[in-house]
Amino acid sequence: MQMQADWQAMSPLPPPPVTLQKERWLLLSLAAVQFTHIVDFMVMMPLGPQLTRLFALSDAQFGLLVSAYSLAAGVSGLLASLVIDRFERKRALLVLYAGFAVATLACGLAPTYGSLMGARIAAGVFGGVLGALVQTIVGDAIAFERRGRAMGVVMAAFSMATVAGVPASLWLAAQVGWHGPFIAIALVCVPVWLVALKVVPSLGGHLAGAAAGSSLNQLVRVLADANHWRAFGLSALMVLGSFSIIPYITIYTTTNLGLSQEQVPLIYLAGGVATLFTARLWGQLADRHGKVLVFRVISLVAVVPMMILTHMPAVPVAVLVVVTTAFFIFVSGRLVPGMALLTAAPPPAMRGAFMSVNGALQSGAMGLSAWLGGALISRTPDGLVQGYGRTGWLALASTLVMVWWVGKLRLHKAVQTPVI
């Protein structure tokens, strides 16, 4: 009887009465939320020299400072899965984003290593859940037929963070010190919060389905569904190969390919600018030709730059930038139809809990992939990187499995009816 009730809760709801203009503003506000918390996460790494010198930190202490955010995000994602579907989406977004802004401001005002560590943990707690909640709102409010395009808009925030957010933050840090970027991000959060208050619709249609049973039962229901585990597997496969390659691009290109440290930003600037445009293109193609088909095509094409990059000899800088740009275009491109598919894996009443668990597991998969990539490479006596090609073969193998695996996913295309 309980299983029958669960399937009744999954029945499709009518499409949301949202005009395209309101939908556009909704997506832009969600992209702005994504942009701020992605910049907050990314900017910590290049601030390493300033922070280690100021606080007299060892490499291990700074590494802990960086990883504290991801670890806190993973834990908070799992805990949020117990209760997130018991709150109306807009209210949850506004509360979490306000908490994130305060935590980020605390990072900028932190006077000691210990206080900065505490603030980074708090930022991770709020930021980790925010990412999953933004994707949940897209899945709740945007019809499946347009969800690829919607994910393309929201995920362009990653490109904007790379192209504009991090460089601007580093410039500000050079002018006023390491505190500046965090204070600036917190200030930017204020108008973003106000816009979200105005344009994000109330989404409470999932509450009826989430009300029955305890919070623990909601998590158990999410974890007991075989289709959800197929989706979690797809999510892990999307990062397995690529994140064994990405952390070591700078090391390999500067050590083996002769790229100077001054030329490294060219790789990320070109890749960020290109993906800023292609993310929306992939979303449009996914909506037009089918998300599974486009996901498979982009994934297979992505193997080409992954294999070339990981086996590349010394080449002119222009050739290297072309290859790395293609790498970012297609590797990040998989995520657009991929995340649209993941939002359709759970029924609306479980979407928040599902995306929270998925975010936590995906963070773990990223960490595992980065560790695995490090285990596959080594150094020669003269300091060159060897074994990087193994990460390419790992990416090839995981891609082939992923292309087959995505066909196993069962999709629920229901959306909520927002209150505008």
Side-chain angles (χ1 to χ4, degrees), residues 31 34-43 45-46 154-171 243 246 264-276 324-325 328-329 332:
Q34 288 281 68
F35 172 80
T36 49
H37 89 76
I38 291 167
V39 173
D40 174 78
F41 168 70
M42 293 178 65
V43 77
M45 290 176 278
V154 172
M155 296 191 69
F158 288 87
S159 303
M160 281 297 297
T162 303
V163 174
V166 173
S169 297
L170 295 180
W171 176 85
F243 273 84
I246 292 172
V264 168
L266 288 174
I267 291 177
Y268 296 96
L269 179 61
V273 170
T275 56
L276 182 61
T324 54
T325 300
F328 287 118
I329 286 174
S332 66

Side-chain angles (χ1 to χ4, degrees), residues 90 94 192-200:
K90 178 178 180 177
L94 294 175
V192 173
W193 190 94
L194 292 173
V195 171
L197 175 66
K198 177 69 175 177
V199 305
V200 176

Side-chain angles (χ1 to χ4, degrees), residues 271 274 301-302 304-306 320-332:
V301 175
V304 177
M306 286 193 286
L320 175 60
V321 170
V322 169
V323 173
T324 54
T325 300
F327 174 91
F328 287 118
I329 286 174
F330 291 103
V331 170
S332 66

Side-chain angles (χ1 to χ4, degrees), residues 227-316:
N227 188 56
H228 293 172
W229 281 104
R230 287 190 287 270
F232 294 148
L234 178 65
S235 182
L237 286 167
M238 281 195 288
V239 302
L240 176 59
S242 59
F243 273 84
S244 66
I245 296 173
I246 292 172
Y248 309 100
I249 290 177
T250 300
I251 294 174
Y252 181 71
T253 54
T254 55
T255 302
N256 289 43
L257 306 187
L259 195 71
S260 68
Q261 287 292 337
E262 292 74 20
Q263 292 171 321
V264 168
L266 288 174
I267 291 177
Y268 296 96
L269 179 61
V273 170
T275 56
L276 182 61
F277 295 99
T278 57
R280 297 186 67 181
L281 172 63
W282 300 140
Q284 292 169 359
L285 291 175
D287 288 341
R288 185 178 306 161
H289 301 291
K291 295 168 182 60
V292 172
L293 174 62
V294 173
F295 177 80
R296 283 172 164 163
V297 171
I298 297 175
S299 298
L300 291 173
V301 175
V303 170
V304 177
M306 286 193 286
M307 293 296 289
I308 293 176
L309 176 61
T310 54
H311 292 82
M312 180 177 286
V315 295

Side-chain angles (χ1 to χ4, degrees), residues 138-195:
V138 173
D140 280 353
I142 308 299
F144 183 77
E145 292 74 19
R146 298 193 306 276
R147 203 171 297 167
R149 188 190 307 254
M151 279 295 177
V153 173
V154 172
M155 296 191 69
F158 288 87
S159 303
M160 281 297 297
T162 303
V163 174
V166 173
S169 297
L170 295 180
W171 176 85
L172 188 60
Q175 302 303 311
V176 302
W178 71 269
H179 302 274
F182 296 107
I183 295 174
I185 293 169
L187 292 176
V188 171
C189 287
V190 175
V192 173
W193 190 94
L194 292 173
V195 171

Side-chain angles (χ1 to χ4, degrees), residues 34 37 73 76-78 80-81 84 89 93 96 126-140 151 339 343 351-360:
Q34 288 281 68
H37 89 76
S76 67
L78 285 176
S81 68
I84 193 68
R89 305 292 194 210
L93 177 73
L96 287 169
F126 291 106
V129 182
L130 268 177
L133 184 57
V134 165
Q135 295 166 353
T136 300
I137 292 174
V138 173
D140 280 353
M151 279 295 177
M339 293 308 300
T343 61
R351 189 171 283 138
F354 169 86
M355 295 305 296
S356 296
V357 173
N358 179 72

Side-chain angles (χ1 to χ4, degrees), residues 359-412:
L361 294 179
Q362 196 171 63
S363 295
M366 289 180 184
L368 176 62
S369 301
W371 171 83
L372 188 56
L376 290 173
I377 66 175
S378 59
R379 295 293 186 109
T380 63
D382 55 352
L384 295 178
V385 175
Q386 64 179 2
Y388 196 44
R390 297 171 187 166
T391 62
W393 290 112
L394 174 63
L396 171 61
S398 62
T399 298
L400 293 177
V401 174
M402 182 173 64
V403 166
W404 164 76
W405 187 272
V406 69
K408 301 289 185 179
L409 209 58
R410 187 178 70 245
L411 304 179
H412 302 284

